[in-house]
């Protein structure tokens, strides 16, 4: 894939970027609704059946938990249909080698994986009040896949809108440090999923201070999920410092309006997320605060992906020679 690739101006082609952006926004809403399922303990609302709900296609006389879980399955299924439509439209209106085709296929594959991971959780009983350590691992994998899915949908939307493809190799330190930043965010997100699970299952309802809570997390009777709760805030501080530096570094190495804009957005969302993180701890992780924290985490990830994308594709003049990202 080389150069700046654009979608044909045909009527069907005009719908491709619209569908791609709509799929991205819709999936963010589905992810937030999935968090509601976890927070309300409704993950076992359909029993240990998947893809059926309590052994039937449509549950009869459902409880509130069943309604919440079943609605999440329906909305998740709709995201799969959106992904299929995105693939079909991308292959119809773009030429061979167009990056939007790759993005659409990756998005569909990651949505399938998202559903499979969710199904594994249900079939293994890693829902509701389960404190099995395997639940923490699956939650982390689920969140990492969610991040990758949103990145794929974002890139698909950009490529469908006529943005250039990516050249991942021979990007020098810009590429290397950018990939480190993306990796740190993935690990931070996975740790955050485990911490959110620990807050749901083990956070004391009494007036314990944060220090007392940490001591409890490392008591002899504490589970692995409790032990890992402290990892997320420590990683958050490390990752935040690195992302601030990364923004400064990319501004210097790949000067341009887009890099400056998205580094600013990244820093703004990062500041809001740090405030939300402290508030989440101080308020003992109420459900609404967890949703805000997750929404900001998704925004931070998308801002980072945009910054890295712009840095890898923006024209950079170094040593008298122009360089630009062109191929995946």
């Amino acid at each position: 894939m080389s150069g700046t690739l654009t979608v044909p101006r045909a009527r069907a082609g005009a719908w491709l970027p619209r569908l791609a952006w709509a799929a991205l926004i819709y999936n963010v809403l589905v992810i937030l609704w999935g968090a509601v399922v976890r927070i309300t303990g409704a993950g076992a609302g359909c029993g240990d059946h998947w893809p059926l709900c309590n052994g039937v296609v449509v549950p009869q006389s459902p409880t509130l938990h069943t309604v919440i879980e079943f609605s999440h399955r329906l909305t998740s299924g709709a995201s799969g249909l959106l992904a299929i439509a995105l693939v079909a439209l991308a292959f119809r209106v773009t030429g061979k080698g167009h990056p939007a085709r790759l993005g659409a296929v990756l998005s569909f594959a990651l949505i399938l994986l998202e559903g499979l991971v969710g199904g594994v959780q249900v079939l293994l009983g890693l829902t509701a009040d389960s404190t099995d350590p395997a639940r923490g691992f699956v939650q982390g994998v689920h969140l990492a896949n969610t991040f990758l899915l949103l990145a794929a949908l974002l890139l698909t939307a950009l490529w469908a809108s006529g943005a250039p493809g990516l050249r991942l190799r021979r990007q020098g330190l810009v590429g290397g440090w950018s990939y480190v930043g993306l990796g740190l965010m993935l690990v931070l997100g996975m740790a955050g999923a485990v911490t959110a699970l620990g807050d749901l299952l083990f956070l004391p309802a009494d007036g314990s201070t944060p220090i007392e809570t940490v001591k409890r997390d490392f008591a002899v009777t504490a589970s692995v999920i409790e032990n890992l709760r402290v990892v997320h805030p420590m990683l958050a501080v490390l990752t935040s410092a690195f992302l601030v530096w990364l923004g400064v570094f990319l501004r210097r190495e790949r000067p341009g309006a887009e890099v400056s804009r998205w580094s600013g957005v990244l820093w703004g969302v990062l500041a809001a997320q740090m405030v939300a993180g402290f508030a989440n701890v101080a308020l003992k992780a109420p459900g609404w605060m967890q949703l805000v924290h997750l929404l900001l985490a998704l925004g931070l990830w998308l801002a980072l992906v945009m910054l890295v994308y712009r840095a890898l594709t923006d024209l950079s003049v170094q040593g008298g020679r122009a360089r630009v990202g062109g191929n995946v």
Side-chain angles (χ1 to χ4, degrees), residues 115-320:
L116 289 175
V117 173
V120 167
Q121 281 187 284
V122 172
L123 295 175
L124 296 181
L126 304 177
T127 57
D129 298 325
S130 171
T131 58
D132 191 323
R135 185 179 180 187
F137 174 77
V138 174
Q139 286 282 104
V141 171
H142 206 8
L143 197 284
N145 189 78
T146 294
F147 273 16
L148 293 175
L149 168 61
L150 292 183
L153 286 169
L154 175 59
L155 291 175
T156 303
L158 289 170
W159 290 331
S161 302
L166 275 173
R167 180 171 58 98
L168 299 179
R169 292 174 294 179
R170 289 193 285 253
Q171 289 282 358
L173 289 177
V174 167
W177 288 122
S178 295
Y179 307 148
V180 170
L182 292 170
L184 279 175
M185 268 299 297
L186 277 178
V187 174
L188 178 62
M190 295 173 72
V194 175
T195 297
L197 178 61
D199 289 343
L200 176 68
L201 297 175
F202 303 109
L203 194 64
D206 57 26
S208 301
T209 65
I211 297 299
E212 291 171 335
T213 301
V214 170
K215 289 180 179 179
R216 189 174 299 165
D217 287 344
F218 287 93
V220 176
T221 57
S223 70
V224 174
I225 294 177
E226 289 176 279
N227 297 158
L228 292 175
R229 286 179 64 233
V230 74
V231 173
H232 178 63
M234 292 191 298
L235 269 177
V237 173
L238 171 65
T239 302
S240 297
F242 182 84
L243 293 182
V244 170
W245 173 84
L246 180 63
V248 174
F249 173 76
L250 293 179
R251 281 186 172 208
R252 185 181 72 242
E253 295 296 317
R254 299 287 167 90
E258 289 297 318
V259 171
S260 295
R261 179 182 297 115
W262 284 104
S263 60
V265 171
L266 178 72
W267 293 336
V269 179
L270 182 59
Q273 180 68 307
M274 293 298 288
V275 172
F278 283 115
N280 200 41
V281 173
L283 298 174
K284 296 190 180 298
W288 67 270
M289 193 68 242
Q290 291 187 47
L291 289 176
V292 171
H293 200 35
L294 175 60
L295 178 59
L296 287 172
L298 300 179
L300 183 61
W301 168 252
L302 290 173
L304 177 60
V305 172
M306 278 296 298
L307 173 60
V308 170
Y309 171 78
R310 293 304 183 186
L312 297 183
T313 55
D314 275 5
L315 185 66
S316 176
V317 180
Q318 297 179 357

